[in-house]
Amino acid sequence: PKPVPVWYDLGRFRKTLKRASMIEQAARRILLVDGDSRVRDALRMLFDCEPGLTLVAESANARKLVKNAREHKPDIILLDWDSAQCIAEPLLSSLHQISSHLRIIVLSGRSESETQALQAGADFFVSKTDPPDALLGTIRALVKLDVQQKGEAV
């Protein structure tokens, strides 16, 4: 027999549409901390072009990060490792206490920072030398994972 296209199976089609719309509707609020204004400008432009991603706040250093996280309630924090390395472990611990759903992605131009960042409590690491799609891919994977976890919890 000839295979039936997925859109003919209304049950599967509705489920697929529901999952796709959940991912699209799963808008993510992002808090950005990076000492380089050029990086902040580039990421702001990147997120402006990406549906579902909203940059809610940004700063040049990590001093006010916990306060900003409480105030703006981001889903994702993009943290330049060089801005926070000396206080990373207590800082990341404090951030995770704000919300169990908060994800922290550490950015760095030095690949050797990855192990330190993950050991300090970062959820993900993205190198600044990677193309922008690497960061967007990480964020999309986070959204998909969160949607799947919420679906399993329901």
Side-chain angles (χ1 to χ4, degrees), residues 15-30:
K15 194 175 192 177
T16 302
L17 279 179
K18 183 178 178 184
R19 182 164 296 171
S21 72
M22 283 172 53
I23 292 172
E24 288 173 11
Q25 292 173 7
R28 292 295 179 255
R29 299 168 50 82
I30 298 174

Side-chain angles (χ1 to χ4, degrees), residues 58-154:
E58 60 182 81
S59 69
N61 60 58
R63 281 182 287 196
K64 296 182 180 179
L65 182 54
V66 174
K67 178 183 176 274
N68 283 337
R70 284 192 178 109
E71 181 180 332
H72 296 285
K73 299 179 182 6
D75 302 297
I76 298 169
I77 293 177
L78 293 179
L79 178 62
D80 172 45
W81 186 246
D82 295 330
S83 300
Q85 186 175 0
C86 60
I87 57 168
E89 199 165 326
L91 176 65
L92 296 182
S93 177
S94 296
L95 291 170
H96 280 299
Q97 290 174 6
I98 292 172
S99 170
S100 61
H101 300 293
L102 179 63
R103 304 291 188 164
I104 301 169
I105 300 173
V106 166
L107 304 171
S108 178
R110 297 177 291 129
S111 60
E112 64 272 10
S113 301
E114 180 174 7
T115 302
Q116 295 172 325
L118 295 174
Q119 287 175 345
D123 295 300
F124 297 93
F125 178 90
V126 176
S127 175
K128 288 183 178 180
T129 61
D130 289 342
D133 283 343
L135 177 59
L136 290 176
T138 299
I139 293 172
R140 286 186 197 112
L142 275 173
V143 171
K144 187 175 181 179
L145 180 65
D146 288 348
V147 167
Q148 289 173 346
Q149 288 175 346
K150 286 178 183 176
E152 291 171 4
V154 174

Side-chain angles (χ1 to χ4, degrees), residues 1-46:
K2 186 177 176 183
V4 178
V6 72
W7 56 86
Y8 285 5
D9 181 350
L10 289 180
R12 278 179 56 193
F13 184 62
R14 285 188 184 121
K15 194 175 192 177
T16 302
L17 279 179
K18 183 178 178 184
R19 182 164 296 171
S21 72
M22 283 172 53
I23 292 172
E24 288 173 11
Q25 292 173 7
R28 292 295 179 255
R29 299 168 50 82
I30 298 174
L31 175 63
L32 171 62
V33 178
D34 197 297
D36 188 337
S37 63
R38 295 169 300 172
V39 172
R40 291 194 313 273
D41 291 344
L43 290 174
R44 188 180 323 108
M45 286 189 293
L46 180 68

